[in-house]
Amino acid sequence: MGDLIPTNIDDFIEDFLKNSLQIDVLDYQKLESGGEGYTILYVSNLEEAQINVLKSAGFEQIKSDLWIYEGFEANLEGLKDSTRGYFENLQKEKWNELIYLRQQIDNTFYTKHGKEAMFRTTHNTPRIVLKWHGRLAFDESTLNDFISDLNKLLGVGKVEELFNSSRFIKGIRYLRNVTIAHDSSKINQIEVANKYLEDIIGTPYLKYWFQFISVQLRLIEDGIEFLREEVKEKEDEHFR
């Protein structure tokens, strides 16, 4: 409901441009002149898709690194459609990498350890992989569904035993427990889940549609890092 209300430009820049769009914001200033308000934005290394998003949001490009916006509030609801393609492409790219790493690690583990799988694969696994390819979590319900499926893909099986203390494994498990399984009686799990959300997007309190997408993308990125740094690179140490 929060995204129907004009958003403070500070929140828009910090939460949306920096965190969600991952724009390299060097600085910004708010100026008033003759009763009119303007926001001056200094950015760096913009991609074409990010340039299009800034234009859709109402920013006008003055120089390659300098943009101006009239006012101190932004309408985020109007940006859903114009940014969908950007986020979908980003999600597909990261999702493909995650699934590739999962498959590669599972094949290696299966070969080295007597045909034992690292992850639990069932008849639903291909459905989950296809289901989330390019599908964005715009709201809490969809995000919770994604968390549940991500836990099924990466958090269950031999991986749970070998990497039980991993920040990522604990993070998605506890997020699932407190949002899907309603295991809210366990205060420790709520604290761990909230701390994990704060670590990956800066806050455990989600109200804007782009924050739900940010969590989805950060979870995929964290999953990629987990597979690369904790599983793949430490393969010899764990799987001897």
Side-chain angles (χ1 to χ4, degrees):
M1 296 295 293
D3 52 8
L4 297 177
I5 302 172
T7 304
N8 181 285
I9 197 69
D10 298 277
D11 294 336
F12 174 79
I13 291 173
E14 295 293 336
D15 293 339
F16 184 67
L17 297 187
K18 286 186 179 182
N19 291 339
S20 295
L21 287 178
Q22 299 183 37
I23 288 178
D24 186 8
V25 177
L26 303 176
D27 193 15
Y28 69 95
Q29 298 175 11
K30 293 184 289 186
L31 306 174
E32 287 193 49
S33 176
E36 298 292 332
Y38 299 91
T39 301
I40 311 298
L41 185 69
Y42 302 88
V43 295
S44 178
N45 303 318
L46 286 178
E47 298 175 4
E48 183 178 354
Q50 294 171 326
I51 290 174
N52 292 336
V53 170
L54 283 178
K55 289 179 178 178
S56 296
F59 280 86
E60 181 182 350
Q61 188 172 14
I62 306 302
K63 294 182 179 179
S64 61
D65 61 349
L66 182 65
W67 295 70
I68 188 168
Y69 180 83
E70 186 174 348
F72 300 140
E73 292 183 333
N75 182 1
L76 288 168
E77 183 65 22
L79 290 175
K80 263 188 182 181
D81 290 337
S82 62
T83 59
R84 181 186 292 270
Y86 173 83
F87 285 123
E88 282 181 352
N89 290 335
L90 196 60
Q91 196 270 357
K92 286 177 183 178
E93 180 182 333
K94 295 179 187 298
W95 186 247
N96 286 342
E97 183 175 0
L98 180 81
I99 298 306
Y100 172 77
L101 282 170
R102 181 192 188 273
Q103 182 182 23
Q104 188 181 51
I105 289 167
D106 217 22
N107 287 342
T108 300
F109 190 77
Y110 187 83
T111 301
K112 287 185 176 181
H113 300 278
K115 298 185 178 180
E116 181 180 11
M118 170 65 77
F119 308 99
R120 181 179 298 170
T121 299
T122 70
H123 66 282
N124 280 325
T125 303
R127 179 189 62 81
I128 292 173
V129 171
L130 292 173
K131 171 183 175 182
W132 292 107
H133 183 253
R135 183 184 177 196
L136 300 175
F138 279 107
D139 52 56
E140 182 178 7
S141 175
T142 308
L143 178 62
N144 289 345
D145 190 24
F146 174 76
I147 291 169
S148 178
D149 281 344
L150 187 64
N151 184 66
K152 292 173 186 174
L153 279 181
L154 298 182
V156 182
K158 191 70 175 177
V159 65
E160 188 175 9
E161 173 189 330
L162 293 172
F163 298 94
N164 187 52
S165 61
S166 164
R167 167 180 169 271
F168 172 73
I169 293 296
K170 288 176 66 176
I172 59 172
R173 182 195 308 143
Y174 288 1
L175 279 174
R176 176 201 169 275
N177 286 351
V178 302
T179 59
I180 306 297
H182 304 293
D183 199 359
S184 56
S185 61
K186 297 185 178 180
I187 302 301
N188 177 61
Q189 294 201 23
I190 298 174
E191 291 176 350
V192 171
N194 285 343
K195 175 64 167 58
Y196 184 57
L197 282 178
E198 192 165 5
D199 284 346
I200 61 176
I201 70 155
T203 178
Y205 308 110
L206 313 177
K207 69 174 183 175
Y208 296 119
W209 58 266
F210 64 85
Q211 289 178 312
F212 295 108
I213 295 176
S214 291
V215 172
Q216 181 187 23
L217 292 173
R218 297 303 178 274
L219 286 175
I220 297 174
E221 290 174 350
D222 215 27
I224 291 170
E225 184 178 348
F226 164 70
L227 294 177
R228 280 180 179 165
E229 305 295 330
E230 294 189 56
V231 181
K232 201 168 174 40
E233 288 193 3
K234 297 181 179 178
E235 191 173 62
D236 291 337
E237 175 187 341
H238 287 282
F239 307 154
R240 280 192 293 241

